[in-house]
Amino acid sequence: DLGSGSGYYSLLYLSMGARHVTAVDSSLNMIEALGNDIRIDTVNSDVENLDLKKRFHVIVCAGLLEFVADARDSLLVAREHADKGSTMVVLVPCDNFWGALYRLFHRCHGLDISLYRPTSFRALAETTGWVIKEERRVWPFTYEFGMRAK
């Protein structure tokens, strides 16, 4: 779970039957919010500097890429941690009116975020070793991409 925050998706996967989850976030406060569940390995790290020395069959990246300096670097690191054929699900904010409101909200809190268009994200995925297998818009301001590692 790249950019796990306080672990919403990590805990969801465990409730759905996952035996083990690795949660990665750059905020120590968010990692600590996950508690001490022995089924979750917590890693306090920026994704760009991540080197877990292992590979994963499933990677989730929900709510991370809008906050990183370079999404390309993050997708490359994710690819380095994926086996060939592994699945990654990515959620990113749309570059539309609703996304602009989302960006404004974050700017009011001192953060500048990135917004995405499907065509540019497809190209980004292709150049970082991923093939998009599915995509859909989640109203009002999110795109979901299901990808496989080349």
Side-chain angles (χ1 to χ4, degrees), residues 97-109:
F97 173 77
W98 302 108
L101 290 178
Y102 179 62
R103 175 185 274 163
L104 179 61
F105 168 81
H106 285 293
R107 280 189 178 154
C108 289
H109 294 90

Side-chain angles (χ1 to χ4, degrees), residues 1 13 22 24 30 36 45-46 54 61 81-82 87 94 103-104 109 133 135 140 142:
D1 187 358
Y13 303 133
T22 300
V24 178
M30 290 291 168
N36 295 320
S45 174
D46 292 327
K54 63 181 183 178
C61 183
H81 286 86
T87 299
C94 303
R103 175 185 274 163
L104 179 61
H109 294 90
K133 295 296 187 179
E135 64 181 78
T142 304

Side-chain angles (χ1 to χ4, degrees), residues 4-6 25 27-36 42-44:
S4 65
S6 61
D25 202 277
S27 168
L28 185 56
N29 289 337
M30 290 291 168
I31 289 295
E32 289 173 346
L34 277 159
N36 295 320
T42 56
V43 179
N44 180 219

Side-chain angles (χ1 to χ4, degrees), residues 24-79:
V24 178
D25 202 277
S26 62
S27 168
L28 185 56
N29 289 337
M30 290 291 168
I31 289 295
E32 289 173 346
L34 277 159
N36 295 320
D37 191 319
I38 62 169
R39 300 172 298 167
I40 302 176
D41 284 337
T42 56
V43 179
N44 180 219
S45 174
D46 292 327
V47 172
E48 296 90 342
N49 298 311
L50 188 64
D51 185 10
L52 297 176
K53 308 242 186 295
K54 63 181 183 178
R55 296 181 178 259
F56 299 87
H57 300 294
V58 178
I59 299 172
V60 175
C61 183
L64 170 71
L65 295 181
E66 61 261 40
F67 295 104
V68 298
D70 187 346
R72 184 177 190 284
D73 289 345
S74 296
L75 291 175
L76 285 169
V77 169
R79 179 60 188 92

Side-chain angles (χ1 to χ4, degrees), residues 116-130:
Y116 295 87
R117 295 183 182 271
T119 52
S120 59
F121 191 83
R122 282 185 218 113
L124 182 62
E126 177 68 25
T127 63
T128 55
W130 297 97

